[in-house]
Amino acid sequence: MNANVATTRQALKVLIVEDTKTITNLLQVYLMGWGLEFFDAPNGVVGLSKARELKPDLIISDVQMPEMDGFSLCAAVRADSQLHATPFMMLTSLKDEASRQKGNLVGASAFLNKPVSVDDLRSKVRVMLNLPATNR
């Protein structure tokens, strides 16, 4: 290999689909340290459009959002031939078993309750993106 050719790893892209900007910002802070590149969308409609454009390595989505909820977004991602294998994490304040089952049925890779445990979030993201055990 030519010694003058630098090998650079492209940053992994994470799309956060969340209608509360404060939560979007917190998620980015919680996941700093792995060199991830973050993108955001305020609802599922915009999120699906951005996902199709960006081809993210991970989608983190709220469930309860205007215009298109997280369940519908996940189902649309799973139905898209270019996105269907993208890890999809759902975050929600819904604590009932029916919501968790619905998340599983539409193909969510993980389902975390709000307020999210930082350790659980990091652990699941680390596994989904095959990242090193520590990010600090």
Side-chain angles (χ1 to χ4, degrees):
M1 182 160 138
N2 185 338
N4 294 327
V5 177
T7 55
T8 58
R9 180 182 72 89
Q10 277 203 327
L12 295 172
K13 295 181 278 191
V14 177
L15 175 60
I16 300 172
V17 186
E18 168 64 60
D19 59 329
T20 305
K21 190 66 175 169
T22 304
I23 294 174
T24 299
N25 293 340
L26 277 174
L27 292 171
Q28 290 178 14
V29 168
Y30 294 161
L31 297 174
M32 290 178 117
W34 282 311
L36 303 173
E37 186 175 6
F38 296 101
F39 301 87
D40 61 87
N43 61 59
V45 172
V46 176
L48 183 57
S49 176
K50 282 195 174 185
R52 287 179 172 151
E53 174 190 336
L54 298 167
K55 310 290 188 287
D57 299 288
L58 170 64
I59 298 170
I60 300 174
S61 178
D62 187 12
V63 169
Q64 296 174 291
M65 297 178 290
E67 298 190 44
M68 177 189 277
D69 67 17
F71 296 125
S72 298
L73 173 60
C74 186
V77 165
R78 293 295 175 245
D80 188 296
S81 63
Q82 293 188 9
L83 297 172
H84 73 276
T86 305
F88 195 107
M89 178 185 294
M90 288 188 167
L91 303 179
T92 186
S93 56
L94 299 172
K95 306 234 188 282
D96 59 291
E97 187 59 29
S99 294
R100 185 174 294 279
Q101 288 176 355
K102 187 172 182 179
N104 289 333
L105 285 173
V106 295
S109 309
F111 196 92
L112 295 179
N113 289 109
K114 292 179 182 177
V116 67
S117 158
V118 177
D119 289 337
D120 284 347
L121 174 72
R122 288 180 180 159
S123 174
K124 293 203 182 307
V125 168
R126 181 182 60 78
V127 169
M128 284 190 243
L129 294 178
N130 195 28
L131 297 169
T134 61
N135 73 328
R136 303 277 175 204

